Amino acid sequence: MSVWLELCLYALGTLGHVAVCVTALNRVQGTIAEHAVERLFKKAVTLWAIVGLCLPFLEMWQSSKARTPWQIVAGQLVDVWGYYTLATAWLVMTAVRRLAQVWIDRCPNVWQMLESRLVCVESEVGVAFEDYSTRPFWFSLAGNQIGELEVNKKEIVNSALPVGLDGLKITHFSDLHITGTVPKAYFEWLCQEIQQLNSDIIFLTGDFVDNPEKLAWLVDLVSDLQAEHGNYFVLGNHDVRFGQERRLRECLTDAGWIDLGGKFVQLQIGEHELLLAGNELPWIGQAPDCHPGEHAYSICAVHTPDLLRWGKSQQYDLMLAGHAHGGQIRIPWIGPVVCPSVHGVRYASGVFQAGKTVMHVSRGISGLQPIRLRCRPELTQLILRRSAENEATAN
Ligand SMILES: [Fe+2]
């Protein structure tokens, strides 16, 4: 075997090992509700990532034969079975499965982008990121889009939408992750944009504050937001980390927001009754005790998009989720790699459909680590539309 082939097989085996570790990391972050346990498992995965990379070098050290690490990995892939053989098989399986998911999850008849506006908040609006003293080094990485914002208007076509709700405007944003690193002026400008969208309902789907000292920022920011039919929120996994879940709920409720965590409300719009519900599982409480199928239209706010199958089983018409941040770092031609979900990167962001349930996953605004590469912060207005079949039936 030539050295080049050995090196190629070594690279393939190493990528397979990375795929195994990333899969484990995604699953751990997506399934474990207890933060301390999650941290323990994440440390175990990190340890395995290092050990796995060292295995060929350890074998070279112990082997009586003078074999290089790439000869050892290439030998495993070609001649004998070993960890690297299984890791490479996992890499191939993951790639094939991802391609299948991209194909299956296309739902062009369910939504379309009406308008997408990009604003570089730092240069165009004049919000000064560079003066911020706690700015970490990765904030300055070339291509970091944390100081930008994409304001999107998306039309959601839904066959179940009653005629009286046609054109209902919903603002959906998520994952503010206020730490103090992204300046308050950025969020103030974001709130101005939200108010200018002039939606009928506003939804905020969790992960508000990562620094308890900045809770006052959140209250200041969201207090002035108003929508004709109300502002609604659910909490996310980061909101329970600093033990002020109750205080956070009180602050938001005092600011005029309606808590949907494990609850539901019935909203009368014209002659139609709209069900709005929230589910903060697997981190907090329990699922709302309601029957979406009995209402003219139903919307459920959740934090994790992993609840899509639950939403489908409950027959919700629309679900709004965040949590995944679009993966935060997207590699050209590959897309996101790391995503805290049991489904890996499948529901990182976008519009998905399961049965009659349509789910919008926001890329969110920020992140605990303020870095976004090829994955801009996103503020979305969803405009609900009846499908053409409905119009034909009505006529
Ligand atoms: Fe988040």
Side-chain angles (χ1 to χ4, degrees), residues 27-234:
R27 299 309 187 266
V28 164
Q29 294 186 106
T31 47
I32 298 176
E34 181 60 45
H35 184 48
V37 181
E38 182 193 317
R39 281 176 61 183
L40 194 69
F41 272 85
K42 277 163 83 172
K43 280 181 183 167
V45 173
T46 307
L47 184 67
W48 177 244
I50 296 165
V51 169
L53 286 174
C54 295
L55 281 176
F57 293 88
L58 290 171
E59 200 173 324
M60 180 185 77
W61 187 263
Q62 288 180 338
S63 172
S64 53
K65 298 174 192 172
R67 292 201 302 162
T68 59
W70 43 94
Q71 283 174 330
I72 290 165
V73 172
Q76 273 193 22
L77 264 57
V78 174
D79 298 327
V80 292
W81 281 83
Y83 169 71
Y84 274 85
T85 321
L86 295 173
T88 304
W90 182 254
L91 174 70
V92 173
M93 264 176 53
T94 304
V96 171
R97 190 176 52 189
R98 181 71 194 124
L99 284 172
Q101 286 171 352
V102 170
W103 179 259
I104 292 166
D105 289 336
R106 291 170 313 125
C107 43
N109 298 326
V110 167
W111 78 284
Q112 63 169 321
M113 183 75 82
L114 297 178
E115 187 185 312
S116 183
R117 184 162 54 88
L118 172 65
V119 184
C120 180
V121 183
E122 190 168 9
S123 62
E124 291 177 39
V125 185
V127 171
F129 282 78
E130 64 266 49
D131 292 339
Y132 210 81
S133 57
T134 58
R135 180 176 176 157
F137 78 93
W138 56 74
F139 213 63
S140 313
L141 282 179
N144 189 1
Q145 297 167 316
I146 194 73
E148 300 177 14
L149 183 74
E150 206 174 281
V151 185
N152 293 326
K153 291 187 181 182
K154 299 174 186 175
E155 186 177 73
I156 301 286
V157 181
N158 202 309
S159 58
L161 192 71
V163 66
L165 299 180
D166 190 44
L168 190 78
K169 292 181 285 184
I170 297 169
T171 289
H172 177 210
F173 68 119
S174 193
D175 296 82
L176 299 174
H177 287 278
I178 297 172
T179 60
T181 305
V182 173
K184 191 179 178 187
Y186 176 95
F187 293 108
E188 286 169 344
W189 176 82
L190 168 77
C191 289
Q192 282 176 30
E193 285 286 323
I194 292 169
Q195 209 50 53
Q196 280 170 20
L197 286 174
N198 196 24
S199 287
D200 300 302
I201 309 176
I202 300 176
F203 280 99
L204 182 45
T205 50
D207 280 3
F208 306 123
V209 181
D210 277 312
N211 178 354
E213 291 174 13
K214 302 298 178 191
L215 189 56
W217 280 24
L218 178 71
V219 176
D220 282 353
L221 290 163
V222 301
S223 292
D224 293 334
L225 293 178
Q226 287 177 348
E228 185 183 349
H229 296 294
N231 306 345
Y232 301 85
F233 73 93
V234 289

Side-chain angles (χ1 to χ4, degrees), residues 277-341:
N279 187 343
E280 295 169 341
L281 289 172
W283 299 284
I284 313 167
Q286 54 195 17
D289 183 17
C290 54
H291 305 282
E294 296 173 2
H295 294 77
Y297 196 76
S298 55
I299 303 173
C300 187
V302 297
H303 186 58
T304 175
D306 288 354
L307 290 173
L308 176 59
R309 285 175 195 175
W310 168 83
K312 178 190 170 191
S313 72
Q314 298 294 306
Q315 299 191 317
Y316 280 101
D317 294 302
L318 180 65
M319 291 180 74
L320 306 172
H323 184 54
H325 304 188
Q328 283 197 220
I329 296 173
R330 296 179 168 220
I331 300 169
W333 300 104
I334 292 175
V337 175
V338 178
C339 190
S341 164

